[in-house]
Amino acid sequence: MTPEQLNELAIEAMGHAYAPYSGYKVGAALLCADGTVYQGCNIENASFTPTVCAERSAFFKAIYDGHRDFAAISVCGGKDGVISGSFPPCGVCRQVMREFCDDDFKVYLIGDGTYETVTLTQLLPHSFRADTHMNG
Ligand code: THU
């Protein structure tokens, strides 16, 4: 699975978004270490706080199915599903990634016809994680 192929699956996932309130459609494609891919989209709610991001919906599907090792995630988003620039993961999604992923977990930020690769440690430096901060 190339980054470009994963990006295509994120773009496809964006089409599944339920975003009647913000209008921002977001898609994610999560690559597991065994090659399985899980797609996710944002799912909004009239009460706002129950809204879940595309990244977390992909992670939660994969985790439910028993996956614990992850290699990369592609993310894209934009108003009405039109990509005009990168749509980086929010802080809550970064912390969910931190729970399951290593420092070098790759995040492909899809832009307008291109993409940028960043690592989890770049997105979330000095992060809190159980295996280093809850070992006492
Ligand atoms: N959103 C995501 O799906 N992922 C992120 O990391 C940032 C924000 C969604 C939530 C909401 O439905 C919309 O984008 C606007 O915030």
Side-chain angles (χ1 to χ4, degrees):
M1 174 69 56
T2 65
E4 288 79 7
Q5 288 171 323
L6 198 65
N7 290 346
E8 282 306 315
L9 292 172
I11 291 166
E12 180 190 280
M14 189 171 59
H16 294 244
Y18 176 75
Y21 305 105
S22 77
Y24 283 91
K25 297 187 173 188
V26 188
L30 174 63
L31 178 63
C32 303
D34 69 357
T36 311
V37 175
Y38 284 84
Q39 292 167 287
C41 64
N42 56 329
I43 303 166
E44 298 187 344
N45 189 282
S47 184
F48 291 1
T49 50
T51 293
V52 68
C53 293
E55 299 91 321
R56 273 177 291 147
S57 72
F59 265 94
F60 295 161
K61 284 166 68 182
I63 290 158
Y64 177 86
D65 279 352
H67 293 276
R68 296 291 185 271
D69 296 319
F70 303 101
I73 192 168
S74 292
V75 185
C76 64
K79 191 77 175 171
D80 300 321
V82 178
I83 299 170
S84 59
S86 67
F87 214 83
C90 77
V92 174
C93 289
R94 295 178 194 202
Q95 187 65 32
V96 168
M97 293 174 194
R98 175 78 289 173
E99 185 71 20
F100 296 99
C101 305
D102 295 329
D103 285 349
D104 62 354
F105 176 74
K106 289 180 176 48
V107 181
Y108 304 127
L109 302 173
I110 302 169
D112 190 7
T114 180
Y115 73 96
E116 182 185 353
T117 306
V118 293
T119 63
L120 178 55
T121 197
Q122 286 176 300
L123 288 178
L124 197 66
H126 308 292
S127 58
F128 179 81
R129 60 184 303 180
D131 56 2
T132 50
H133 301 112
M134 295 177 73
N135 57 4

